[in-house]
Amino acid sequence: MDATITLNESGLGNLLGCTPTMKQVFALIQRVAPTEATVMITGESGSGKELVAECIHMLSHRAQGPLVAINCGSIPASLIEAELFGYEKGSFTGASRSHAGVFERATGGTLFLDEVTEMPLDMQTRLLRVLETGRFYRVGGTQEIKTDIRVVAATNRNVTEAVANRQLREDLMYRLAVFPLHVPPLRERVGDVPLLAQHFLAALNRANGTQKQFSLTFAEALRTYRWPGNVRELKNTVERSFILADDILEIDLNLSVPTRALEPVEQQPQPAGLHVPLGSRLDEAERSLIEVTLEYCEGDKRRTAAVLGCSLKTLYNKLNSYARERAERSRIGPSVAGAHTSAGLPL
Ligand SMILES: Nc1ncnc2c1ncn2[C@@H]1O[C@H](COP(=O)(O)OP(=O)(O)OP(=O)(O)O)[C@@H](O)[C@H]1O
Ligand SMILES: [Mg+2]
């Protein structure tokens, strides 16, 4: 095990995080790293999959060996076989000398197959065979080569959907996802944002000999923005603002960033002022919460259901039953029909 990678309160080696969500990821990494199991890392773009792969390698018994990465999505289909398995001189036009592929170059270490779902299906068949037999030939080669690698793969697609859409062969999926490891998007671990932001700012201050700081507005925006581009977007945002700032980093909403400028933060609705007195019945409390959330979401039922974490159907069923009760009460007498919930909403 490599002594340079340690777990502390700010993360595992270079992989930072202090939230329970990331701590679970660290625990999984530590458990699988020393094994020879093939790991399939999933997660949105920019969430840190490559860093996770590096951590697995550094914590493995192969840490002294090479970590060789290949991005299966960025190599033309016609070249991918040669890139993976290498080729012998003269095996195709332009092969003026022989070349070792990543399978050979990663010998004794880890092969990181990034964006594996982007590999052409016929190459996936070939890859599976090599992974299962542990043997392959260079393109145009006659000598069988034995593999000695540990494979870590990654994709930002949903693996099950990729199989259903015929982007990933099911048998290869089973072979690769012996140990699936999901890196959650940053919006599901917003508690990590200040740590990451401070880390990126400190690195920039160190590199530039400065002592710049975040403004309060910046700190607030960091907390509430949803980071569709995940940690990569956070890192880039800090860097952009760092360049523009003299001393205090401001969020510049007018930056013409082509992809995702920092739009005004999409706030999660936080229904305020709901008071449920002790002694309330559960169904009464639930009804108050539903009605106050519906009002907060301006009658938008889909959004209300999302905020409440229930299905739209459940919400409709509840609202219908309240309507039935209301109709029932208005038949019985006006005094009850005028009652209000504890949140001040008419019943
Ligand atoms: N937990 C983290 N701690 C520190 N830096 C991080 C963390 N997660 C991601 N980063 C940084 O964010 C950037 C994006 O991370 P990475 O390249 O690992 O993402 P990815 O999931 O592989 O993205 P893609 O799917 O686009 O390839 C990198 O600069 C990386 O160093
Ligand atoms: Mg990546």
Side-chain angles (χ1 to χ4, degrees):
M1 182 153 139
D2 192 302
T4 57
I5 293 258
T6 49
L7 181 67
N8 58 37
E9 65 282 358
S10 47
L12 180 61
N14 292 333
L15 190 63
L16 303 182
C18 55
T19 52
T21 315
M22 275 313 273
K23 285 184 178 157
Q24 277 174 16
V25 173
F26 300 152
L28 290 174
I29 294 174
Q30 286 184 303
R31 197 153 270 272
V32 75
T35 73
E36 286 286 284
T38 305
V39 183
M40 173 69 116
I41 308 169
T42 54
E44 290 179 10
S45 182
S47 58
K49 297 183 295 297
E50 186 153 356
L51 266 190
V52 168
E54 276 170 31
C55 257
I56 293 173
H57 173 71
M58 297 301 282
L59 287 169
S60 78
H61 302 298
R62 296 172 169 269
Q64 303 307 321
L67 168 64
V68 179
I70 179 167
N71 187 321
C72 308
S74 64
I75 299 170
S78 56
L79 295 184
I80 195 150
E81 183 176 12
E83 270 307 308
L84 285 175
F85 307 118
Y87 52 85
E88 294 296 349
K89 183 176 169 179
S91 54
F92 53 85
T93 323
S96 53
R97 46 197 174 122
S98 52
H99 172 79
V102 288
F103 264 85
E104 265 176 89
R105 282 189 270 136
T107 295
T110 306
L111 175 59
F112 178 44
L113 296 173
D114 204 0
E115 294 191 35
V116 70
T117 43
E118 312 311 302
M119 189 184 280
L121 285 177
D122 56 332
M123 268 321 293
Q124 293 189 17
T125 314
R126 186 86 207 278
L127 172 66
L128 177 64
R129 204 162 52 238
V130 175
L131 293 177
E132 293 198 328
T133 60
R135 288 160 204 285
F136 66 97
Y137 292 91
R138 283 182 175 181
V139 176
T142 48
Q143 199 187 345
E144 196 177 60
I145 302 172
K146 212 171 160 312
T147 62
D148 170 19
I149 52 165
R150 195 259 185 100
V151 173
V152 175
T155 179
N156 50 27
R157 291 188 191 275
N158 174 310
V159 172
T160 325
E161 275 173 22
V163 170
N165 297 338
R166 300 188 190 287
Q167 284 155 327
L168 178 64
R169 284 183 58 107
E170 190 172 15
D171 43 13
L172 181 62
M173 186 264 286
Y174 286 123
R175 180 65 187 72
L176 291 176
V178 174
F179 194 92
L181 208 162
H182 182 64
V183 188
L186 191 51
R187 65 182 170 280
E188 287 176 17
R189 46 183 165 109
V190 282
D192 287 332
V193 172
L195 172 77
L196 288 162
Q198 286 297 349
H199 165 80
F200 296 139
L201 178 58
L204 288 164
N205 273 331
R206 260 196 317 278
N208 294 280
T210 51
Q211 290 186 322
K212 299 186 187 182
Q213 289 178 3
F214 291 121
S215 71
L216 281 178
T217 349
F218 200 133
E220 178 62 14
L222 287 179
R223 207 173 57 74
T224 47
Y225 185 59
R226 286 179 61 74
W227 305 109
N230 294 294
V231 185
R232 179 179 293 118
E233 185 182 14
L234 171 60
K235 192 174 180 179
N236 293 344
T237 302
V238 172
E239 187 163 356
R240 250 186 348 253
S241 303
F242 181 91
I243 294 167
L244 291 171
D246 289 327
D247 302 305
I248 306 290
L249 275 68
E250 297 290 350
I251 283 275
D252 189 342
L253 298 173
N254 297 319
L255 280 172
S256 56
V257 181
T259 46
R260 280 180 283 257
L262 268 177
E263 300 138 9
V265 168
E266 183 196 320
Q267 294 275 5
Q268 282 298 299
Q270 301 271 334
L274 174 64
H275 175 66
V276 181
L278 261 183
S280 302
R281 288 167 37 140
L282 189 57
D283 57 349
E284 289 167 352
E286 183 185 73
R287 179 174 179 164
S288 300
L289 178 63
I290 290 176
E291 293 191 311
V292 97
T293 310
L294 184 64
E295 189 190 57
Y296 186 87
C297 295
E298 297 165 339
D300 182 337
K301 299 196 181 59
R302 197 171 292 277
R303 200 164 137 222
T304 305
V307 170
L308 290 168
C310 69
S311 70
L312 195 55
K313 187 161 175 280
T314 305
L315 180 66
Y316 270 113
N317 287 344
K318 303 250 181 217
L319 294 175
N320 286 341
S321 81
Y322 303 156
R324 274 197 303 278
E325 272 175 45
R326 244 192 323 266
E328 186 69 28
R329 260 199 307 271
S330 60
R331 269 196 317 198
I332 299 167
S335 58
V336 186
H340 282 68
T341 64
S342 52
L345 289 170
L347 280 167

